[in-house]
Amino acid sequence: MPNSMANTNNTKHPTMTELYDLHCHSNASDGALSPTELVQRAQQQGVTRLALTDHDTVAGLAEAKTCAGQVGIDLIAGIELSTNWQKKCFHIVGLGIDPSYPPLAEATHYLQQTRLERAEKIALKLEQKRIPGALAAVKLAVGPGMITRSHFADFLLSQHHVDTQQEAFDRYLAKGKPAYVSTDWAELAVAVRWITEAGGVAVLAHPLRYKLSANWLKRLLTAFKDAGGLGIEVITSRMNPDEIRLIAGYAKHYGLAGSVGSDFHNAANPWVELGRLAPLPAHIQPVWELLG
Ligand code: AMP
Ligand code: MN
Ligand code: MN
Ligand code: MN
């Protein structure tokens, strides 16, 4: 059984150890590493099955797949879609998608435009705070990839307006702060449909990061399930045992399969590493059983 538990039952591979990480980012969105560097790092960390899940783009998947073949990692084609539900933003990971499925390809094209327009507005707001030059710098840094707020955070850091990425969000980029721009993402149910029709499994990403009350989280899970969502990240980086028990309980209650994903972006945070994850609780159905 993944993660990190010796597979003693499997007579074919008695010494094999599997390690899964089904959520991470390359520089096709806001990760620091190229898809190749990311897959190589995963292999060095002992990951055997990796899903690349960049924000609103599948652009890194082809390169990741090539490298994965070379280093012997099983690569799952993934994406992390930004969505709206009840006017709030939630992230839905799609696993096992066909990246060329036309509605999904159209959606990512549209989302790139949405993100560019948002970036222009964020840059204007920063200018009003006497911080010029953000748009050009961010565009240069991201190249053909998806512009995210993380790129603005890096810019603010490089210009010494803040001392950490977190401070950039806390002072400028987070909701309610001067450079925040609210965005119309796809509705959650629509995003789940894109993923499902592209042959993938829709997974609610990092359920505790939205800071929802228990009531709201239950409403969200009901809506997600009704929309055709099949999984939830029971294991993400930096969860304590109580949090894992809580989310595992919700997975059971709502009949959702469990996923495991570090949400690795870069090496700056020593607490977040590819494959460095607690095992999925034994009573939870693993989401990879649903993958074709
Ligand atoms: P975006 O999708 O462009 O709104 O950017 C969201 C990304 O910014 C997330 O995926 C995180 O990588 C990062 N992010 C969001 N909030 C924070 C925060 N408070 N501190 C650090 N990074 C954050
Ligand atoms: Mn991110
Ligand atoms: Mn996310
Ligand atoms: Mn992510």
Side-chain angles (χ1 to χ4, degrees):
M1 276 288 291
N3 266 357
S4 355
M5 291 171 64
N7 187 350
T8 48
N9 301 330
N10 190 331
T11 49
K12 278 190 208 152
H13 304 283
T15 60
M16 197 173 86
T17 303
E18 290 183 300
L19 186 63
Y20 288 10
D21 190 337
L22 305 186
H23 184 157
C24 64
H25 297 271
S26 77
N27 63 4
S29 65
D30 57 351
L33 305 181
S34 70
T36 297
E37 291 165 339
L38 184 78
V39 171
Q40 286 170 343
R41 188 183 183 97
Q43 197 249 354
Q44 284 156 12
Q45 297 297 326
V47 173
T48 56
R49 204 169 192 201
L50 181 75
L52 174 59
T53 56
D54 274 309
H55 295 289
D56 301 320
T57 181
V58 296
L61 289 175
E63 183 186 320
K65 187 104 194 157
T66 301
C67 182
Q70 288 161 358
V71 302
I73 281 188
D74 182 8
L75 188 92
I76 296 170
I79 193 166
E80 182 176 18
L81 287 170
S82 313
T83 78
N84 283 142
W85 177 73
Q86 300 285 321
K87 302 204 189 318
K88 298 180 192 29
C89 181
F90 298 96
H91 286 178
I92 306 297
V93 162
L95 298 176
I97 51 167
D98 170 4
S100 65
Y101 177 67
L104 191 65
E106 277 163 36
T108 56
H109 184 77
Y110 173 81
L111 285 163
Q112 185 146 31
Q113 190 58 31
T114 300
R115 282 183 170 278
L116 180 59
E117 286 165 17
R118 181 180 68 153
E120 288 163 358
K121 290 180 191 159
I122 293 174
L124 276 178
K125 292 198 165 194
L126 287 173
E127 263 172 44
Q128 286 161 7
K129 288 278 152 193
R130 294 167 206 244
I131 302 178
L135 188 63
V138 158
K139 276 183 171 173
L140 188 67
V142 77
M146 281 285 178
I147 304 179
T148 72
R149 283 182 294 163
S150 305
H151 296 100
F152 283 95
D154 290 342
F155 165 76
L156 290 167
L157 193 55
S158 72
Q159 298 294 302
H160 309 290
H161 294 288
V162 293
D163 292 326
T164 62
Q165 246 213 7
Q166 183 62 49
E167 190 188 341
F169 279 90
D170 294 345
R171 283 183 50 200
Y172 294 101
L173 300 168
K175 193 167 185 175
K177 302 302 170 184
Y180 179 78
V181 174
S182 82
T183 311
D184 287 332
W185 305 111
E187 276 299 311
L188 179 136
V190 173
V192 170
R193 198 175 69 224
W194 286 335
I195 290 167
T196 309
E197 289 180 358
V201 172
V203 175
L204 179 69
H206 41 64
L208 287 174
R209 217 174 301 156
Y210 310 112
K211 308 264 179 269
L212 298 176
S213 66
N215 244 336
W216 270 97
L217 184 54
K218 288 176 190 169
R219 290 181 59 200
L220 168 66
L221 290 173
T222 303
F224 177 65
K225 180 87 183 164
D226 288 350
L230 295 176
I232 183 169
E233 286 182 348
V234 172
I235 305 291
T236 66
S237 296
R238 309 192 68 172
M239 279 173 94
N240 67 41
D242 283 343
E243 291 170 334
I244 293 172
R245 263 192 294 278
L246 177 72
I247 300 304
Y250 283 125
K252 267 279 196 236
H253 186 263
Y254 288 89
L256 294 166
S259 189
V260 298
S262 64
D263 204 3
F264 177 87
H265 284 73
N266 55 57
N269 184 344
W271 301 103
V272 180
E273 181 54 85
L274 289 163
R276 191 174 298 166
L277 291 159
L280 193 63
H283 63 287
I284 300 298
Q285 186 194 17
V287 74
W288 46 91
E289 286 186 5
L290 307 179
L291 301 175

